[in-house]
Amino acid sequence: MAHVAIVEFRIVPEKLEEAKAVFADMLKTSRAFDGCERLDWLVDRDDPASWTLYEEWSSWEAEQAYRDFRTGEGAVPEIGPLLAGPPRLVRLEAIPF
């Protein structure tokens, strides 16, 4: 079963190009993180400052290890000034029908 997390970001409109560079660099480490099965950046077609990170993890433990990494030694402080507000994390599980 896929362990899916979605993180919604609101980027400061004047900093979109800077954000692209910072996030592109960050993705290399994120995609190589143990347990990461898929990681895609998506942008709202009607609102270029609304970005969504779609993640699939091998387990919830792997996903949590990644969150711990990003709030510790893998933190990217350059992201803070690029955001118009705090990101929103949603963790999703399939409903077995």
Side-chain angles (χ1 to χ4, degrees):
M1 175 193 309
H3 302 278
V4 175
I6 294 174
V7 188
E8 299 169 343
F9 294 86
R10 183 87 191 139
I11 308 298
V12 174
E14 299 79 27
K15 297 187 177 189
L16 288 173
E17 290 306 312
E18 184 180 349
K20 287 178 187 177
V22 171
F23 280 98
D25 190 50
M26 184 185 84
L27 286 182
K28 295 173 192 169
T29 303
S30 299
R31 286 186 171 131
F33 199 87
D34 189 40
C36 181
E37 296 182 347
R38 180 176 180 174
L39 195 140
D40 295 319
W41 270 107
L42 307 166
V43 62
D44 185 321
R45 289 178 49 193
D46 299 319
D47 182 359
S50 178
W51 294 9
T52 300
L53 182 59
Y54 175 86
E55 307 170 352
E56 289 182 13
W57 294 92
S58 60
S59 67
W60 289 123
E61 292 78 17
E63 186 258 352
Q64 187 59 54
Y66 173 74
R67 302 276 168 243
D68 294 342
F69 169 73
R70 284 296 181 203
T71 59
E73 68 180 86
V76 183
E78 299 86 0
I79 291 176
L82 304 174
L83 302 180
R88 178 177 178 258
L89 171 63
V90 180
R91 293 174 169 148
L92 303 168
E93 295 182 354
I95 300 173
F97 287 109

